[in-house]
Amino acid sequence: FNVNTSADDERERRGNSGVYLQQRYELQILDSFGVAAQDYTAADCGSLYRLRKPDQLVSRPVGEWQTFDLAFRAARFRGDEKVEPARITVLHNGVRIHDDVAIARKTGAGMAEGPEPRPIRLQGHHNRVRFRNVWVLELELGP
C-alpha cells in the first residue's frame, strides 16, 4: 500500500484506509510515519483498529510503498457460540508487529462476529491510498 500526502492536520484523515478481514477485523492503514511511540494509538498504522497497537512502529514516509504480510485464522464456532477467538500475525515492512494475537471482538465499524466466512475488503475512506500485489492464500490448519 502507499499513502499519499495530505494537508489535513487531523491524524486519522491522513492516508486513512485499512484491510478488513472477514469484514470484521480491521488492520489500520494510516500516514503514521514519525509519530512518537508515546503518541501512537490503536488508530495508527498497523493497529488492530481501536483494539491493539502494534508491538513495533515501522511506518514509512508518505509516497513510499509499504507491505503487510498477514496470517489470519478466523474465530471458531460451535453452532452460534464462539469457542476460540480469531488470531492474527502481521509483518509490516518485513517486521513482526503482531505475533499470533487473539482478536477478542470485531473492530471499529466491522460486522458482528459469526460462524459464516466473509470476504476480505480494502477500505475506502475518502483518502488517496493505492494498493498493488494483493495475494490471498488459503492455509490448511487442521482441527
Side-chain angles (χ1 to χ4, degrees):
F1 64 93
N2 188 318
V3 296
N4 293 301
T5 304
S6 170
D8 204 309
D9 289 334
E10 188 176 330
R11 272 206 343 247
E12 277 198 63
R13 293 188 181 186
R14 295 193 328 235
N16 193 342
S17 188
V19 178
Y20 265 96
L21 302 163
Q22 289 196 327
Q23 295 181 304
R24 295 178 171 117
Y25 317 103
E26 180 185 0
L27 183 62
Q28 178 74 339
I29 292 173
L30 195 70
D31 168 18
S32 297
F33 178 75
V35 175
Q38 67 270 17
D39 296 330
Y40 219 85
T41 71
D44 276 300
C45 195
S47 294
L48 295 169
Y49 187 68
R50 299 213 187 269
L51 183 64
R52 185 180 193 279
K53 296 188 295 187
D55 294 334
Q56 297 186 60
L57 312 178
V58 296
S59 291
R60 293 181 179 156
V62 294
E64 289 189 22
W65 284 100
Q66 304 192 58
T67 61
F68 278 152
D69 293 296
L70 316 170
F72 171 77
R73 194 206 72 198
R76 294 185 176 181
F77 286 79
R78 281 196 196 100
D80 288 333
E81 179 188 1
K82 182 167 79 169
V83 294
E84 290 183 52
R87 302 194 74 84
I88 192 166
T89 295
V90 180
L91 278 70
H92 182 188
N93 297 325
V95 176
R96 190 177 307 255
I97 63 168
H98 297 290
D99 189 9
D100 194 29
V101 171
I103 307 173
R105 59 172 170 76
K106 76 172 190 81
T107 62
M111 299 181 80
E113 290 184 300
E116 70 283 346
R118 301 209 48 88
I120 296 169
R121 185 180 74 139
L122 301 177
Q123 181 189 42
H125 209 288
H126 309 293
N127 287 239
R128 293 182 60 212
V129 177
R130 297 179 293 165
F131 295 92
R132 70 178 186 192
N133 297 331
V134 177
W135 295 56
V136 178
L137 304 171
E138 186 173 353
L139 304 175
E140 295 295 327
L141 297 178

